[in-house]
Amino acid sequence: MPAAAQLPFDALNTALKAAGEPTRLRILALLSEAELTVSDFTEILGQSQPRISRHLRLLAEAGLLQRFREGSWAFFRLAEHGAGELGRTVIERLDAGDPVLARDRERLLSVRQARADAAQAYFAAHAVEWDRIRKLHVSDTAVEEAIAEALAGSPPRTLLDLGTGTGRMLELFGPRIQRGLGLDLSLDMLALARARLDRAGLRHCSVRQGDIYNLMLPAESFDTVLIHQVLHFLDDGARAIQEAARVLEPGGRLLVVDFAPHDLEFLREQHAHRRLGFTSDTVAQWMSAAGLDAVLHTSLPPEPGSEGKIAVSLWLGRDKKQTKPVVREVA
Ligand SMILES: C[S@@+](CC[C@H](N)C(=O)[O-])C[C@H]1O[C@@H](n2cnc3c(N)ncnc32)[C@H](O)[C@@H]1O
């Protein structure tokens, strides 16, 4: 691991002072678990919004965390470099069993659970309409052509579709693969996906309930993993990508399809979105942190005349580990 960068005296002093306060230390510890908003902190820490905002401002001014705006929400995350490295070292030295930190983590878990439950209620209510909602912005044909192009050259043999929804990706690739598996939290979505696979006679493809953050699958078990229009519902895209990368065979590929940045705030209130799209760098950085080479990014603009206003982006990551050498039998 490279040595942490040194900080000028004043910067180090400011960062130490900022971190050296109980609530701010708790905030840093929470940010090592997830990117969070001011209202997440007020719920978890039980303090008023002005107090939380002041703590966050001091931590940001000291370079310990970064603030980024998305529509009307501001998210906070630990800074990557400079004082951010100091923040990470401080968090590593904290006793994770400390009762205050353990309670904060529990509250974070319940805030996340409440959010995931709201999203699942949305999917239960909209499962039947999902195939129509998906094509509001860019047509299925355009997106599916771009997916085929991104994966061309080395056709998938074993495919894992995370957040499979109604199973469209398995239906699309099913006829050309050896084995396909779709995972989703929503039983309503899974029922539609099963019916779809039955209709298409795809017996080598199956779906089951599973959480994108905890796949319960062995490492290196698929050559291709898809995450198609799922990341914007999640509060920890980096962790989802990390878990997807874990199950990729050496040299395997992860294809993420999601929205480019947009400002359609109503999608949060009415369609359970957490994130208003992703910059090309955001997903590429998550991929590289998960040990993948980000080898492609492309965007499809919304189609003229369609109801949609959002571009759809594709990111392809390739596992860096060497593929196993093929042993040829010599007669
Ligand atoms: C917008 S739908 C996309 C479905 C499909 N990939 C498609 O593009 O048609 C998002 C899906 O992600 C699923 N999902 C959300 N959070 C999940 C999680 N933590 N683990 C597994 N699936 C999840 C939802 O249940 C939903 O079916």
Side-chain angles (χ1 to χ4, degrees):
M1 206 207 257
Q6 295 189 321
L7 291 171
F9 184 93
D10 284 346
L12 181 60
N13 190 32
T14 307
L16 288 171
K17 277 197 209 152
E21 194 277 341
T23 302
R24 294 200 283 275
L25 203 49
R26 288 164 72 192
I27 287 177
L28 290 177
L30 283 165
L31 285 175
S32 69
E33 306 278 335
E35 294 175 351
L36 297 167
T37 64
V38 174
S39 70
D40 293 332
F41 284 117
T42 56
E43 244 181 290
I44 297 166
L45 299 172
Q47 298 188 15
S48 69
Q49 194 249 324
R51 285 187 69 180
I52 294 289
S53 295
R54 181 174 167 277
H55 287 309
L56 290 167
R57 183 173 49 75
L58 288 172
L59 289 167
E61 282 170 4
L64 287 157
L65 52 82
Q66 288 171 333
R67 177 183 191 276
F68 63 102
R69 181 160 272 288
E70 233 184 59
S72 64
W73 290 11
F75 287 87
F76 294 85
R77 64 172 161 236
L78 291 178
E80 284 295 318
H81 306 293
E85 292 177 32
L86 174 76
R88 286 167 202 277
T89 311
V90 167
I91 295 161
E92 277 164 27
R93 305 304 295 264
L94 277 173
D95 172 8
D98 175 88
V100 174
L101 297 184
R103 204 178 54 228
D104 287 350
R105 274 201 310 277
E106 256 170 47
R107 289 201 185 132
L108 169 64
L109 217 66
S110 67
V111 164
R112 284 176 137 177
Q113 193 53 51
R115 203 180 293 133
D117 290 349
Q120 284 310 304
Y122 168 81
F123 288 118
H126 293 84
V128 176
E129 296 168 81
W130 171 248
D131 285 329
R132 184 187 66 78
I133 295 173
R134 187 183 46 230
K135 48 187 129 196
L136 284 182
H137 300 282
V138 178
S139 74
D140 280 354
T141 316
V143 175
E144 290 171 7
E145 277 173 6
I147 291 175
E149 205 172 306
L151 294 175
S154 168
R157 286 173 301 104
T158 52
L159 177 74
L160 176 64
D161 185 26
L162 298 177
T164 193
T166 55
R168 170 63 190 150
M169 288 296 115
L170 291 174
E171 180 186 48
L172 180 69
F173 282 97
R176 289 168 279 146
I177 58 179
Q178 288 170 9
R179 176 168 61 98
L181 175 65
L183 298 181
D184 203 290
L185 275 186
S186 164
L187 295 175
D188 300 271
M189 286 289 201
L190 289 171
L192 294 168
R194 273 193 198 98
R196 174 174 240 153
L197 297 179
D198 274 354
R199 271 199 311 276
L202 295 167
R203 296 229 176 80
H204 57 298
C205 293
S206 58
V207 293
R208 63 174 188 244
Q209 198 173 30
D211 187 346
I212 202 164
Y213 293 129
N214 183 14
L215 295 179
M216 314 291 266
L217 292 168
E220 304 188 1
S221 44
F222 288 86
D223 65 36
T224 309
V225 179
L226 295 182
I227 306 182
H228 184 251
Q229 294 293 12
V230 182
L231 277 193
H232 60 260
F233 294 102
L234 304 180
D235 64 5
D236 198 348
R239 200 163 117 229
I241 287 184
Q242 190 90 39
E243 182 63 345
R246 184 184 66 78
V247 299
L248 274 183
E249 288 174 1
R253 292 167 303 165
L254 167 65
L255 183 66
V256 172
V257 181
D258 217 292
F259 291 129
H262 63 85
D263 57 7
L264 302 187
E265 195 74 48
F266 76 93
L267 291 173
R268 282 194 169 126
E269 284 102 54
Q270 294 172 26
H271 293 270
H273 290 206
R274 168 123 174 123
R275 304 294 306 267
L276 300 185
F278 301 96
T279 63
S280 68
D281 284 354
T282 303
V283 177
Q285 277 165 12
W286 288 344
M287 285 183 164
S288 81
L292 307 178
D293 276 327
V295 290
L296 174 124
H297 169 255
T298 182
S299 268
L300 308 171
E303 286 174 3
S306 74
E307 291 176 51
K309 296 187 174 60
I310 318 180
V312 170
S313 289
L314 287 83
W315 293 261
L316 185 68
R318 187 188 300 277
D319 179 87
K320 288 181 188 166
K321 293 189 290 301
Q322 291 284 315
T323 44
K324 291 183 189 108
V326 179
V327 181
R328 282 212 227 121
E329 298 291 338
V330 180

